[in-house]
């Protein structure tokens, strides 16, 4: 959805996985150094090893986004700028109930928006 869509605007990996704000970006890059370690030292250097750990990796990413209130989503999507009238009735209801009240954040409902979900 975020790479191939009707608007022609493409989000790429850093748009969703790297914060835009400099200080947040540095923190994320330090966290990601662990991922490079796995590649270099062979714990996750093949497609098969990646697929074995895919659910665990996704859960880490979902937790990170939950913890930072879906910061990377909010780089482009702001609840204040959403036009609820252009959303489906279900989206209007869900965003009004959970997003505006801050009871939930983007990743709570939008897992799999850019990637096929891992086997769960």
């Amino acid at each position: 959805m975020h790479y191939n869509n009707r608007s022609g605007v493409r989000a790429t990996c850093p748009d969703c996985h790297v914060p835009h704000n400099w200080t947040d970006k540095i923190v994320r890059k330090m966290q990601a150094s662990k991922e490079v370690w796995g590649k270099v030292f062979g714990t996750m250097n093949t497609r098969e090893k990646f697929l074995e750990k895919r659910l665990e990796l996704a859960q880490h990413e979902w937790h990170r986004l939950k913890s930072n209130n879906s910061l990377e989503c909010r780089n482009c999507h702001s609840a204040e700028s959403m036009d609820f009238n252009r959303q489906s009735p279900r989206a209007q209801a869900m965003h009004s109930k959970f997003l505006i009240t801050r009871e939930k954040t983007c990743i709570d409902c939008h897992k799999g928006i850019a990637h096929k979900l891992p086997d769960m």
Side-chain angles (χ1 to χ4, degrees):
M1 174 59 79
H2 275 85
Y3 186 76
N4 191 12
N5 57 67
R6 68 181 178 271
S7 72
V9 176
R10 287 188 166 168
T12 60
C13 301
D15 292 317
C16 300
H17 292 280
V18 180
H20 294 194
N21 187 4
W22 189 84
T23 53
D24 296 324
K25 183 183 295 192
I26 296 304
V27 169
R28 177 65 191 121
K29 287 186 178 277
M30 290 171 60
Q31 293 168 340
S33 64
K34 205 166 52 170
E35 297 160 16
V36 173
W37 184 271
K39 180 78 170 175
V40 171
F41 289 96
T43 55
M44 198 168 37
N45 61 348
T46 67
R47 179 84 178 144
E48 292 75 24
K49 289 178 182 179
F50 167 75
L51 291 174
E52 285 175 23
K53 293 188 74 70
R54 190 156 186 264
L55 177 58
E56 179 186 341
L57 294 168
Q59 289 170 333
H60 285 296
E61 194 65 3
W62 297 334
H63 176 74
R64 184 182 73 76
L65 284 162
K66 176 79 173 168
S67 297
N68 74 11
N69 194 24
S70 297
L71 175 66
E72 288 81 353
C73 302
R74 294 170 191 284
N75 285 328
C76 300
H77 303 280
S78 134
E80 297 76 29
S81 66
M82 285 185 186
D83 184 350
F84 283 38
N85 294 321
R86 296 184 69 193
Q87 297 177 1
S88 70
R90 182 171 182 261
Q92 288 178 27
M94 298 304 268
H95 287 144
S96 296
K97 182 174 182 178
F98 297 114
L99 188 62
I100 298 299
T101 63
R102 296 182 182 262
E103 188 175 330
K104 293 189 183 244
T105 188
C106 309
I107 199 62
D108 289 314
C109 301
H110 295 282
K111 290 176 177 82
I113 192 77
H115 299 281
K116 180 182 171 224
L117 287 170
D119 291 334
M120 297 169 63

